[in-house]
Amino acid sequence: MSLLGNSDDIYSSVKDYYGKVLASSKDLKTSACTAAAAPHPIIRKAIASVPDAVNDKFYGCGNPIPLGIQGKDVLDLGSGSGRDCYVAAALVGPEGSVTGVDMTDEQLQTARESIGEFEKTLGYAPKLRFVTGYIEELQKAGIEPLTIDVCISNCVINLSPNKKLVLAGVHQALRAGGELYFSDVYADAQLPDSVRKHDVLLGECIGGALYVKDFEQMAQEIGFAPPRVLSIAPIAVNDKELQALVGDTKFYSITYRLFKADEHEKAKQGDFTATYLGTIEGHEDRYELDIDNVFVKGVSKPVSRGTAAILSSSWLSGFFAVAETSNSNSGSAALPSSAETLMNQLRRLEQLNSSASGGCCSSGAKKGCC
Ligand SMILES: C[S@@+](CC[C@H](N)C(=O)[O-])C[C@H]1O[C@@H](n2cnc3c(N)ncnc32)[C@H](O)[C@@H]1O
């Protein structure tokens, strides 16, 4: 039996929108939804090398591609026309691989058609493929367990009617120490059915937005380490009619990092320091693991046990030196990023929200903000 249950209407509406309604990014009335910061110069350069046909149909709303992934196996959930996959393919080089999964034929066709052209630009044949499938059914789409180092996704998971299934499938696909690094839309409260089921709000990536606390709980139930927030940008809902529907609920575009760091649970008692070695191209002087953990090259700094576990056991481990400084069992290094911490981070951003201009829902007349 299909895992997709009774969500056919959502799937066909989303497929129709991205396959037939939109011809290019220019059709998005809310293309200003890129509330995220400008991409790193290395990513910008890679984007410039991507064929126009692919770039023209980019519908993402963030920059969820980490640097330092040379030789890694990358999976993109809801790869669309493939822009992030092409960028990732340039970053992983000839030894790494990139697989995009999408359910919309038209998007997949665009993604597949330009691989030959991109090969000439790169000067080698990238291990880049696009497979047809649902992100809720990764194994059915041919993604085997324990084969992926880094999973990325750009404004797609909000469109899924079964987000827990998506996260569980990613957890299964990731190797130990792998990571889901993704941008999406979140709410600071649970959404009522009137918002969830509103056609325009759903299409605008608001109706499907996850309540941050539910997301954090879901991620940890599945077995991920506590979510790390890399960036948060407020989304303004300016349309009066839509404002009335969402009330006081605030929406954010958040780039999260979810590590499959088994050691996180078994982390030794004691205190730890971590030193960034400065060996990630593009982050030679400093590395931002998340908004609370920024490392300066060569400078040892105390870290929580959870952070020590991530930096010593994930795909990032080669870029850091982690040391245990004592066996005090003092508990001084508590795990970070509890749901409360996240909510506090969001509250801090409420000030920004009031001054935000534009955003995903600066107008409410059209679907498909991201
Ligand atoms: C907003 S677009 C983003 C595309 C791409 N990530 C980008 O940044 O350009 C959403 C994409 O996700 C795909 N999608 C949405 N829900 C999906 C699902 N449940 N399974 C597979 N693909 C899905 C759509 O077909 C569409 O191509």
Side-chain angles (χ1 to χ4, degrees), residues 11 18 58-60 78 80 102-104 107 133-136 154 370:
Y11 291 115
Y18 290 102
F58 171 65
Y59 304 135
D102 205 287
M103 65 179 184
T104 305
Q107 293 276 73
Y134 293 96
I135 59 174
E136 297 83 354
N154 205 339
C370 39

Side-chain angles (χ1 to χ4, degrees), residues 179-198:
E179 173 184 12
L180 171 59
Y181 185 113
F182 72 114
S183 303
D184 226 304
V185 179
Y186 292 85
D188 71 348
Q190 272 163 343
L191 302 175
D193 274 1
S194 55
V195 173
R196 291 214 159 278
K197 296 189 174 159
H198 190 278

Side-chain angles (χ1 to χ4, degrees), residues 227-246:
R228 305 295 176 122
V229 177
L230 189 58
S231 66
I232 311 177
I235 292 170
V237 179
N238 293 332
D239 179 273
K240 293 271 176 269
E241 208 181 308
L242 297 183
Q243 266 177 8
L245 279 167
V246 301

Side-chain angles (χ1 to χ4, degrees), residues 17-18 28-31 33 155 158-159 185 198-209 235-237 242 251 359-370:
Y17 195 69
Y18 290 102
L28 291 171
K29 205 167 188 174
T30 52
S31 59
C33 85
C155 266
N158 75 82
L159 295 167
V185 179
H198 190 278
D199 208 29
V200 174
L201 287 171
L202 195 66
E204 289 275 342
C205 302
I206 293 293
I235 292 170
V237 179
L242 297 183
F251 295 91
C360 267
C361 290
S362 52
S363 74
K366 205 163 176 179
K367 287 180 166 188
C369 83
C370 39

